[in-house]
Amino acid sequence: DEDRYTHFLTQHYDAKPKGRDGRYCESIMKQRGLTRPCKEVNTFIHGTRNDIKAICNDKNGEPYNNFRRSKSPFQITTCKHKGGSNRPPCGYRATAGFRTIAVACENGLPVHFDESF
Ligand code: U5P
């Protein structure tokens, strides 16, 4: 429902990122509430909400296992925890890419980020 979609956006959507490097990850992971404890891996999808929502229907998505995969690639940044303590401050490395993504949908809205490939 809307609540899970909002949660998905908080965790995985950033329209126009600044940097897409480790500093970007450290800042946005904290800002989005993902650092208590430090989340190990988290992907941010860039672009428009409408293009991401369209993965849930035939406009930009197709079935993939129990998920839906995008027909078109997205600019994404995946933040990976550097290791050591999982208590903040959390250090991250960034990997920027242009990739197909797989999400779970509920009532036509994305609610879970599964993977990119
Ligand atoms: N996750 C990402 N990007 C990835 C892989 C995992 O953001 O490339 C996040 C998702 O929020 C996912 C969580 O729900 O990590 C756990 O992933 P997994 O251990 O189920 O693969």
Side-chain angles (χ1 to χ4, degrees), residues 12 39 41-43 78 112-115:
H12 296 296
K39 188 172 176 181
V41 181
N42 193 73
T43 301
T78 296
H112 164 80
F113 184 90
D114 195 60
E115 61 172 325

Side-chain angles (χ1 to χ4, degrees), residues 61-81:
E62 58 200 7
Y64 172 71
N65 298 330
N66 291 322
F67 300 106
R68 308 261 318 159
R69 75 174 163 211
S70 64
K71 287 180 178 172
S72 68
F74 285 85
Q75 292 291 346
I76 62 170
T77 304
T78 296
C79 301
K80 288 200 177 77
H81 185 224

Side-chain angles (χ1 to χ4, degrees), residues 26 34-41 80-92:
E26 284 157 14
L34 302 174
T35 59
R36 297 181 167 271
C38 309
K39 188 172 176 181
E40 283 303 311
V41 181
K80 288 200 177 77
H81 185 224
K82 277 181 183 170
S85 166
N86 66 355
R87 282 177 303 193
C90 310
Y92 284 95

